Amino acid sequence: MLDLGNRVSIYQPEQPGLIFPDLPAFDTVCEERRHRKERLVAACRAFARQGFDYGFAGHLTVRDPERPELYWTNPMCVHFAKVKMSNLILVDHAGTVIEGRHAVNRAGFVLHANVHEEHPDIVAMCHAHTTYGVAWCATGRRIDPITQDACAFFEDHVVIGEQGGQVAVENHAGSDVAKAFKGVKAALHQNHGLLTASRHSIESAAFWFIALERCCQQQLDVAASGIEPIRIPADRARYSREHVGSEYIGWLHFQTIWNQLVEDEPDMFD
Protein backbone atom coordinates (compact mmCIF):
# COMPACT_ATOMS: atom_id res chain seq x y z
CA MET A 1 0.00 0.00 0.00
CA LEU A 2 1.21 3.48 -0.81
CA ASP A 3 1.57 6.01 1.98
CA LEU A 4 -0.66 8.91 0.93
CA GLY A 5 -0.37 10.88 4.15
CA ASN A 6 -3.45 13.08 4.45
CA ARG A 7 -4.32 12.74 0.77
CA VAL A 8 -7.31 10.79 -0.55
CA SER A 9 -5.56 9.87 -3.80
CA ILE A 10 -2.05 9.64 -5.18
CA TYR A 11 -3.17 12.12 -7.82
CA GLN A 12 -3.45 14.90 -5.25
CA PRO A 13 -0.24 16.95 -5.34
CA GLU A 14 2.21 16.64 -2.46
CA GLN A 15 3.60 20.09 -3.28
CA PRO A 16 1.51 22.84 -1.64
CA GLY A 17 0.24 25.94 -3.41
CA LEU A 18 -0.55 24.38 -6.78
CA ILE A 19 -3.86 24.80 -8.57
CA PHE A 20 -5.84 21.60 -8.06
CA PRO A 21 -9.57 20.88 -7.52
CA ASP A 22 -10.69 20.84 -3.89
CA LEU A 23 -13.62 18.84 -2.63
CA PRO A 24 -16.45 21.25 -1.79
CA ALA A 25 -17.46 22.25 1.72
CA PHE A 26 -20.77 23.91 2.56
CA ASP A 27 -21.87 26.31 5.28
CA THR A 28 -25.58 25.75 4.68
CA VAL A 29 -27.84 23.07 3.23
CA CYS A 30 -29.00 25.61 0.65
CA GLU A 31 -25.45 25.91 -0.64
CA GLU A 32 -25.14 22.14 -0.89
CA ARG A 33 -28.49 21.86 -2.65
CA ARG A 34 -27.50 24.43 -5.25
CA HIS A 35 -24.18 22.69 -5.75
CA ARG A 36 -25.84 19.33 -6.35
CA LYS A 37 -28.38 20.83 -8.75
CA GLU A 38 -25.70 22.66 -10.72
CA ARG A 39 -23.67 19.49 -11.09
CA LEU A 40 -26.76 17.52 -12.08
CA VAL A 41 -27.39 20.01 -14.87
CA ALA A 42 -23.74 19.79 -15.89
CA ALA A 43 -23.96 15.98 -15.99
CA CYS A 44 -26.96 16.24 -18.33
CA ARG A 45 -25.07 18.68 -20.56
CA ALA A 46 -22.07 16.34 -20.55
CA PHE A 47 -24.34 13.50 -21.67
CA ALA A 48 -25.58 15.70 -24.51
CA ARG A 49 -22.01 16.36 -25.63
CA GLN A 50 -21.30 12.63 -25.57
CA GLY A 51 -24.33 11.96 -27.79
CA PHE A 52 -26.13 9.95 -25.11
CA ASP A 53 -29.56 11.34 -26.01
CA TYR A 54 -32.26 9.02 -27.37
CA GLY A 55 -35.62 10.77 -27.44
CA PHE A 56 -36.93 11.04 -23.90
CA ALA A 57 -34.89 8.05 -22.65
CA GLY A 58 -32.24 8.71 -20.04
CA HIS A 59 -32.46 9.95 -16.49
CA LEU A 60 -29.99 11.27 -13.93
CA THR A 61 -30.78 11.75 -10.25
CA VAL A 62 -29.21 13.19 -7.12
CA ARG A 63 -30.61 13.20 -3.58
CA ASP A 64 -31.70 16.39 -1.93
CA PRO A 65 -29.25 17.03 0.97
CA GLU A 66 -31.94 18.19 3.38
CA ARG A 67 -34.68 15.76 2.42
CA PRO A 68 -32.84 12.60 1.35
CA GLU A 69 -36.13 10.80 0.67
CA LEU A 70 -36.49 13.14 -2.32
CA TYR A 71 -34.29 13.41 -5.39
CA TRP A 72 -33.68 15.94 -8.18
CA THR A 73 -33.84 14.73 -11.76
CA ASN A 74 -33.99 15.94 -15.34
CA PRO A 75 -37.50 16.67 -16.68
CA MET A 76 -39.40 14.40 -19.06
CA CYS A 77 -39.09 15.20 -22.78
CA VAL A 78 -36.40 17.87 -22.33
CA HIS A 79 -33.20 17.20 -24.28
CA PHE A 80 -30.06 16.77 -22.17
CA ALA A 81 -28.66 19.88 -23.87
CA LYS A 82 -31.62 21.96 -22.68
CA VAL A 83 -31.64 20.90 -19.03
CA LYS A 84 -31.01 23.87 -16.73
CA MET A 85 -31.45 24.85 -13.09
CA SER A 86 -34.93 26.22 -13.69
CA ASN A 87 -36.42 23.06 -15.21
CA LEU A 88 -35.09 20.41 -12.81
CA ILE A 89 -37.79 18.60 -10.84
CA LEU A 90 -37.85 17.24 -7.29
CA VAL A 91 -39.52 13.84 -6.97
CA ASP A 92 -40.40 11.46 -4.13
CA HIS A 93 -40.14 7.66 -4.16
CA ALA A 94 -43.78 7.38 -5.21
CA GLY A 95 -43.11 9.37 -8.38
CA THR A 96 -44.88 12.53 -7.19
CA VAL A 97 -43.33 15.77 -8.43
CA ILE A 98 -42.81 17.93 -5.32
CA GLU A 99 -41.17 20.88 -7.07
CA GLY A 100 -41.07 21.85 -10.75
CA ARG A 101 -43.50 22.14 -13.64
CA HIS A 102 -42.46 19.15 -15.76
CA ALA A 103 -43.53 15.52 -15.55
CA VAL A 104 -41.18 12.80 -14.38
CA ASN A 105 -39.93 10.05 -16.68
CA ARG A 106 -41.91 6.97 -15.61
CA ALA A 107 -39.13 4.48 -16.33
CA GLY A 108 -36.63 6.75 -14.60
CA PHE A 109 -38.76 7.01 -11.49
CA VAL A 110 -39.25 3.22 -11.32
CA LEU A 111 -35.54 2.41 -11.64
CA HIS A 112 -34.03 5.24 -9.64
CA ALA A 113 -36.61 5.36 -6.85
CA ASN A 114 -36.07 1.66 -6.16
CA VAL A 115 -32.30 2.07 -6.01
CA HIS A 116 -32.44 5.21 -3.85
CA GLU A 117 -34.92 3.59 -1.50
CA GLU A 118 -33.00 0.30 -1.21
CA HIS A 119 -29.64 2.03 -0.69
CA PRO A 120 -29.78 5.15 1.50
CA ASP A 121 -26.03 5.59 0.96
CA ILE A 122 -26.38 6.06 -2.80
CA VAL A 123 -26.38 9.77 -3.57
CA ALA A 124 -26.71 9.77 -7.35
CA MET A 125 -27.52 7.54 -10.28
CA CYS A 126 -27.31 7.72 -14.09
CA HIS A 127 -28.90 5.81 -16.96
CA ALA A 128 -29.14 6.42 -20.69
CA HIS A 129 -29.69 4.40 -23.86
CA THR A 130 -26.23 4.64 -25.40
CA THR A 131 -25.03 2.98 -28.59
CA TYR A 132 -22.13 0.90 -27.28
CA GLY A 133 -23.50 0.28 -23.80
CA VAL A 134 -26.76 -1.10 -25.15
CA ALA A 135 -24.89 -3.22 -27.70
CA TRP A 136 -22.52 -4.70 -25.11
CA CYS A 137 -25.41 -5.33 -22.71
CA ALA A 138 -26.96 -7.54 -25.38
CA THR A 139 -24.08 -9.98 -24.85
CA GLY A 140 -24.90 -10.47 -21.16
CA ARG A 141 -21.18 -10.30 -20.35
CA ARG A 142 -19.20 -8.26 -17.88
CA ILE A 143 -16.46 -5.84 -18.87
CA ASP A 144 -13.19 -7.75 -19.22
CA PRO A 145 -10.01 -6.28 -17.68
CA ILE A 146 -8.25 -5.74 -21.01
CA THR A 147 -7.31 -2.07 -20.55
CA GLN A 148 -6.28 0.17 -17.67
CA ASP A 149 -9.57 2.03 -18.13
CA ALA A 150 -11.55 -1.19 -17.87
CA CYS A 151 -9.76 -2.01 -14.61
CA ALA A 152 -11.69 0.84 -12.99
CA PHE A 153 -14.70 -1.50 -13.12
CA PHE A 154 -12.93 -4.74 -12.19
CA GLU A 155 -15.02 -6.52 -9.54
CA ASP A 156 -17.01 -3.30 -9.24
CA HIS A 157 -19.89 -3.93 -11.63
CA VAL A 158 -22.55 -6.59 -12.23
CA VAL A 159 -24.69 -7.95 -15.03
CA ILE A 160 -28.42 -7.91 -14.31
CA GLY A 161 -30.15 -10.60 -16.33
CA GLU A 162 -33.59 -10.51 -14.73
CA GLN A 163 -36.24 -8.67 -16.77
CA GLY A 164 -33.54 -7.69 -19.27
CA GLY A 165 -35.02 -5.87 -22.23
CA GLN A 166 -38.45 -5.43 -20.63
CA VAL A 167 -39.41 -1.79 -20.21
CA ALA A 168 -39.44 -0.80 -16.54
CA VAL A 169 -42.76 0.98 -16.08
CA GLU A 170 -44.32 -0.92 -13.17
CA ASN A 171 -43.31 -0.01 -9.62
CA HIS A 172 -41.76 -3.41 -8.83
CA ALA A 173 -39.72 -3.46 -12.03
CA GLY A 174 -36.74 -1.72 -10.46
CA SER A 175 -36.35 -4.13 -7.55
CA ASP A 176 -33.82 -6.39 -9.29
CA VAL A 177 -31.76 -3.36 -10.28
CA ALA A 178 -31.87 -2.09 -6.69
CA LYS A 179 -30.70 -5.42 -5.26
CA ALA A 180 -27.82 -5.54 -7.75
CA PHE A 181 -26.30 -2.26 -6.59
CA LYS A 182 -25.03 -3.62 -3.31
CA GLY A 183 -21.40 -2.54 -3.07
CA VAL A 184 -20.82 -1.77 -6.76
CA LYS A 185 -20.83 1.41 -8.82
CA ALA A 186 -22.13 0.08 -12.13
CA ALA A 187 -24.52 -2.41 -13.67
CA LEU A 188 -25.04 -3.76 -17.17
CA HIS A 189 -28.76 -4.36 -17.53
CA GLN A 190 -28.95 -7.15 -20.09
CA ASN A 191 -30.64 -6.16 -23.36
CA HIS A 192 -31.23 -2.69 -21.95
CA GLY A 193 -28.24 -0.52 -21.08
CA LEU A 194 -25.85 0.90 -18.54
CA LEU A 195 -26.50 2.20 -15.04
CA THR A 196 -24.07 3.81 -12.63
CA ALA A 197 -24.53 4.86 -9.02
CA SER A 198 -22.39 6.83 -6.62
CA ARG A 199 -22.18 7.08 -2.86
CA HIS A 200 -20.08 10.21 -3.35
CA SER A 201 -21.55 12.64 -5.91
CA ILE A 202 -23.46 13.10 -9.14
CA GLU A 203 -20.14 14.03 -10.73
CA SER A 204 -18.70 10.62 -9.94
CA ALA A 205 -21.80 8.76 -11.16
CA ALA A 206 -21.80 10.75 -14.41
CA PHE A 207 -18.12 10.33 -15.17
CA TRP A 208 -18.17 6.60 -14.50
CA PHE A 209 -21.13 6.30 -16.85
CA ILE A 210 -19.14 8.07 -19.59
CA ALA A 211 -16.15 5.83 -18.83
CA LEU A 212 -18.25 2.66 -18.88
CA GLU A 213 -19.70 3.55 -22.28
CA ARG A 214 -16.18 4.00 -23.61
CA CYS A 215 -15.15 0.63 -22.15
CA CYS A 216 -18.08 -1.01 -23.93
CA GLN A 217 -16.93 0.55 -27.20
CA GLN A 218 -13.41 -0.76 -26.65
CA GLN A 219 -14.72 -4.26 -25.85
CA LEU A 220 -16.80 -4.28 -29.02
CA ASP A 221 -13.91 -2.96 -31.14
CA VAL A 222 -11.54 -5.64 -29.83
CA ALA A 223 -14.18 -8.34 -30.37
CA ALA A 224 -14.74 -7.12 -33.93
CA SER A 225 -11.02 -7.28 -34.68
CA GLY A 226 -11.02 -11.02 -34.12
CA ILE A 227 -7.80 -10.73 -32.14
CA GLU A 228 -7.80 -12.37 -28.74
CA PRO A 229 -7.06 -9.64 -26.16
CA ILE A 230 -4.54 -10.02 -23.37
CA ARG A 231 -6.31 -9.92 -20.01
CA ILE A 232 -4.72 -8.00 -17.17
CA PRO A 233 -4.09 -10.35 -14.21
CA ALA A 234 -6.50 -9.98 -11.31
CA ASP A 235 -3.93 -8.60 -8.86
CA ARG A 236 -2.87 -5.85 -11.28
CA ALA A 237 -6.47 -5.11 -12.18
CA ARG A 238 -7.33 -4.64 -8.50
CA TYR A 239 -4.31 -2.40 -7.99
CA SER A 240 -5.35 -0.25 -10.94
CA ARG A 241 -8.95 -0.10 -9.72
CA GLU A 242 -7.74 1.09 -6.33
CA HIS A 243 -5.93 4.04 -7.90
CA VAL A 244 -8.04 4.89 -10.97
CA GLY A 245 -11.50 3.56 -10.12
CA SER A 246 -12.53 5.24 -6.88
CA GLU A 247 -15.45 7.56 -6.29
CA TYR A 248 -12.98 10.39 -5.73
CA ILE A 249 -11.25 9.74 -9.06
CA GLY A 250 -14.63 9.81 -10.82
CA TRP A 251 -15.33 13.17 -9.16
CA LEU A 252 -11.87 14.44 -10.12
CA HIS A 253 -12.24 13.42 -13.76
CA PHE A 254 -15.55 15.30 -13.95
CA GLN A 255 -13.89 18.57 -12.92
CA THR A 256 -12.38 18.89 -16.39
CA ILE A 257 -15.87 18.55 -17.88
CA TRP A 258 -17.35 20.99 -15.36
CA ASN A 259 -14.76 23.67 -16.12
CA GLN A 260 -15.40 23.38 -19.86
CA LEU A 261 -19.18 23.55 -19.44
CA VAL A 262 -19.06 26.58 -17.12
CA GLU A 263 -17.11 28.45 -19.78
CA ASP A 264 -19.06 27.26 -22.81
CA GLU A 265 -22.65 26.92 -21.55
CA PRO A 266 -23.50 29.60 -18.97
CA ASP A 267 -27.22 29.13 -19.68
CA MET A 268 -26.98 26.02 -17.46
CA PHE A 269 -27.57 28.31 -14.51
CA ASP A 270 -30.77 29.96 -15.85
Side-chain angles (χ1 to χ4, degrees):
M1 293 290 291
L2 294 170
D3 182 10
L4 300 177
N6 294 323
R7 293 175 296 154
V8 177
S9 166
I10 195 172
Y11 288 98
Q12 290 174 293
E14 295 180 84
Q15 182 181 344
L18 300 178
I19 296 173
F20 190 83
D22 290 322
L23 287 165
F26 309 101
D27 293 324
T28 68
V29 72
C30 290
E31 287 181 10
E32 186 172 6
R33 177 180 296 113
R34 180 170 182 84
H35 178 90
R36 289 190 182 190
K37 290 172 68 177
E38 286 177 347
R39 271 58 181 184
L40 174 60
V41 172
C44 291
R45 297 296 183 98
F47 275 31
R49 288 191 171 208
Q50 293 288 331
F52 291 170
D53 58 294
Y54 180 71
F56 63 77
H59 16 86
L60 291 73
T61 57
V62 64
R63 284 188 192 273
D64 185 82
E66 184 178 18
R67 295 171 288 178
E69 73 279 7
L70 307 178
Y71 59 87
W72 295 94
T73 187
N74 54 302
M76 177 70 167
C77 288
V78 174
H79 193 279
F80 284 140
K82 298 300 180 182
V83 175
K84 56 184 68 178
M85 290 286 285
S86 58
N87 61 25
L88 292 177
I89 57 175
L90 183 65
V91 184
D92 67 13
H93 290 161
T96 304
V97 176
I98 307 300
E99 289 186 30
R101 298 180 293 110
H102 289 264
V104 64
N105 185 311
R106 175 73 185 181
F109 141 64
V110 167
L111 288 175
H112 290 239
N114 274 269
V115 172
H116 282 300
E117 197 164 18
E118 179 89 10
H119 303 282
D121 57 330
I122 288 180
V123 173
M125 186 176 172
C126 300
H127 171 62
H129 290 197
T130 56
T131 301
Y132 300 105
V134 170
W136 184 254
C137 285
T139 69
R141 291 176 52 185
R142 296 189 184 192
I143 297 294
D144 296 321
I146 58 173
T147 67
Q148 184 184 96
D149 293 341
C151 287
F153 297 96
F154 184 68
E155 298 178 340
D156 200 14
H157 72 289
V158 296
V159 172
I160 306 171
E162 293 296 319
Q163 300 177 353
Q166 180 174 306
V167 178
V169 292
E170 297 183 35
N171 288 350
H172 64 82
S175 59
D176 292 319
V177 173
K179 289 182 177 65
F181 266 103
K182 186 175 182 180
V184 297
K185 68 171 176 272
L188 311 179
H189 200 194
Q190 188 176 305
N191 306 107
H192 181 197
L194 310 178
L195 303 105
T196 57
S198 173
R199 293 153 179 88
H200 181 278
S201 60
I202 181 62
E203 298 101 299
S204 185
F207 179 77
W208 288 127
F209 188 98
I210 294 169
L212 186 56
E213 169 72 1
R214 180 173 293 194
C215 286
C216 289
Q217 181 178 2
Q218 293 166 354
Q219 298 272 315
L220 289 163
D221 286 345
V222 171
S225 75
I227 301 171
E228 185 66 26
I230 299 171
R231 290 176 61 94
I232 297 170
D235 59 334
R236 296 181 191 173
R238 290 189 192 101
Y239 180 87
S240 293
R241 184 197 66 219
E242 179 183 347
H243 292 291
V244 301
S246 70
E247 296 268 35
Y248 172 80
I249 291 296
W251 174 88
L252 187 61
H253 272 300
F254 194 84
Q255 302 317 300
T256 60
I257 299 170
W258 166 257
N259 292 335
Q260 181 186 36
L261 287 167
V262 168
E263 185 173 338
D264 294 350
E265 301 186 28
D267 68 305
M268 292 192 304
F269 308 114
D270 292 349

